[in-house]
Amino acid sequence: MQVGLIVDSACDLPPEFSRKHNIFILPVTAVINGQTYIDEHDPLKTQEFYQRGLLQKGYYAETRAYSPKQIHSLFMRKIVPQFDMAICETVARSRSLIYDNANEAMNTVMARYEGVRAAAGKDGRFSMRVIDSKQIFAGQGLLAAHTLGLIEKKLHKNALRHEVETFSDSILTCVIPRDLHYIRERARRRGDNSVSALVAFMGKALSITPVLFGKGTDAQPVAKTWSFESAVEKVMNYAAARVDAGLKTPYVSLSCGMSWPEIDALPGLDLLREACERNGVELLLSQMGITSSIYIGPGSLCLALAAEPHNFNDFQ
């Protein structure tokens, strides 16, 4: 049975990793200063966005989930003829309509796939599951990487879904927003009150760089620093120590909303690389995608790993 994995473009993964494992990217529409772009995680287009500075005014941008009709069309053309079963993992349902729209599209696909399968010369039934990852950015990427390992075990579809949903609760993310003015303005324009805890933590001192830590969208401020570099060093020290202590999956996912020279110069990155190599862990290092960067702001960083429950400061 051929099983395909679908993620949306809020999921940050290295492009070469996605290509190697034939991960299908469900696009997201981005509207920036009135111009429409389709984010398909094309690395060249992403690099162009950074070079042209298109994301610097991201609080004037909006992202739009593909409609159920658009998703239905993509699934029928790209997924049904190729796979016998598909797992679609979406960005956290609380942050986007992608889950709801993909779920609606799945229902119409399941009612109409037989003719498409027959035309493609595929025998047997087709099945599909849409799963709320409960994650964002690098966290969603980590879940996708772990899911590939579960698919290789050839679990029954119900067991596979259960394992994915259970594992998601073990994922912990660290987020460092580069510009709190950006976060505040984006929230104001969207009417989003979810950043109230961050604003309360920072008060009026928007020059402070916070470290947010927790499960998926429930991350809370756990440290405040006076520079982005200091915040990055804290996160790298934490991640390296946590890797040495043991993980639930042999991956660490790290996405950065900056150019590759800036990424390579991040303080503590070599320390994390060495810890991963020492422990047989693959570091999934990627440039933050267009969708992710619009949401959290260019220059930001997101790291995810899966481990037993612990506190951020336990590994400083």
Side-chain angles (χ1 to χ4, degrees):
M1 181 173 67
Q2 290 182 292
V3 182
L5 178 61
I6 306 164
V7 298
D8 56 62
S9 58
C11 175
D12 285 333
L13 277 170
E16 59 274 14
F17 184 88
S18 297
R19 285 194 298 268
K20 176 182 177 181
H21 296 284
N22 197 26
I23 297 175
F24 181 79
I25 307 297
L26 179 60
V28 170
T29 301
V31 182
I32 304 174
N33 292 335
Q35 189 163 352
T36 299
Y37 304 89
I38 303 300
D39 181 11
E40 298 176 299
H41 263 210
D42 180 327
L44 295 179
K45 184 179 289 186
T46 301
Q47 184 65 25
E48 180 186 358
F49 266 67
Y50 284 106
Q51 290 174 343
R52 293 173 57 192
L54 288 173
L55 297 171
Q56 296 302 320
K57 298 293 185 181
Y59 45 72
Y60 292 112
E62 61 176 320
T63 55
R64 299 172 183 168
Y66 264 31
S67 70
K69 184 176 180 180
Q70 288 175 303
I71 298 173
H72 170 96
S73 178
L74 281 173
F75 286 173
M76 293 291 263
R77 288 188 290 109
K78 302 288 189 178
I79 304 301
V80 171
Q82 184 176 355
F83 301 105
D84 302 308
M85 177 184 175
I87 297 290
C88 178
E89 296 175 352
T90 73
V91 68
R93 186 180 186 182
S94 61
R95 289 292 182 268
S96 172
L97 291 173
I98 296 174
Y99 172 86
D100 292 331
N101 291 358
N103 204 50
E104 184 177 335
M106 177 194 70
N107 291 332
T108 58
V109 166
M110 293 303 296
R112 304 171 190 172
Y113 72 80
E114 292 180 352
V116 173
R117 294 275 290 178
K122 298 286 285 186
D123 297 324
R125 302 183 64 180
F126 173 78
S127 62
M128 191 172 191
R129 294 289 185 272
V130 177
I131 297 174
D132 173 9
S133 74
K134 296 177 282 188
Q135 305 298 324
I136 54 173
F137 319 149
Q140 195 181 350
L142 184 75
L143 181 63
H146 183 75
T147 300
L148 291 170
L150 296 174
I151 290 172
E152 289 179 0
K153 293 180 179 180
K154 301 186 184 303
L155 299 177
H156 183 273
K157 59 186 178 183
N158 292 332
L160 178 58
R161 178 173 185 167
H162 174 74
E163 289 292 329
V164 169
E165 292 177 335
T166 301
F167 179 80
S168 180
D169 292 330
S170 300
I171 296 176
L172 294 159
T173 57
C174 298
V175 177
I176 307 176
R178 189 63 172 265
D179 185 350
L180 289 180
H181 293 277
Y182 181 101
I183 300 292
R184 186 175 65 177
E185 183 64 16
R186 279 279 296 167
R188 185 185 69 81
R189 286 179 167 272
R190 297 195 313 268
D192 184 356
N193 295 319
S194 63
V195 297
S196 57
L198 176 60
V199 173
F201 180 75
M202 295 295 103
K204 296 181 179 180
L206 293 180
S207 60
I208 291 175
T209 300
V211 175
L212 311 180
F213 173 77
K215 291 184 177 182
T217 59
D218 294 329
Q220 298 294 319
V222 292
K224 54 184 177 180
T225 65
W226 294 104
S227 73
F228 179 77
E229 289 72 21
S230 296
V232 170
E233 196 162 17
K234 276 184 174 291
V235 168
M236 296 299 178
N237 288 340
Y238 155 78
R242 185 61 252 192
V243 168
D244 283 334
L247 302 175
K248 286 191 170 185
T249 195
Y251 299 102
V252 171
S253 181
L254 174 61
S255 65
C256 310
M258 55 195 77
S259 68
W260 280 109
E262 290 173 311
I263 293 172
D264 288 334
L266 288 171
L269 179 58
D270 287 343
L271 179 70
L272 176 57
R273 282 176 166 148
E274 290 167 5
C276 288
E277 184 175 354
R278 188 165 56 244
N279 292 279
V281 170
E282 184 174 356
L283 178 60
L284 300 172
L285 178 60
S286 66
Q287 202 170 38
M288 192 172 281
I290 296 168
T291 300
S292 308
S293 191
I294 286 175
Y295 187 88
I296 195 67
S300 300
L301 179 148
C302 182
L303 180 143
L305 50 77
E308 297 294 337
H310 61 273
N311 295 318
F312 178 81
N313 289 322
D314 294 340
F315 292 89
Q316 286 296 307

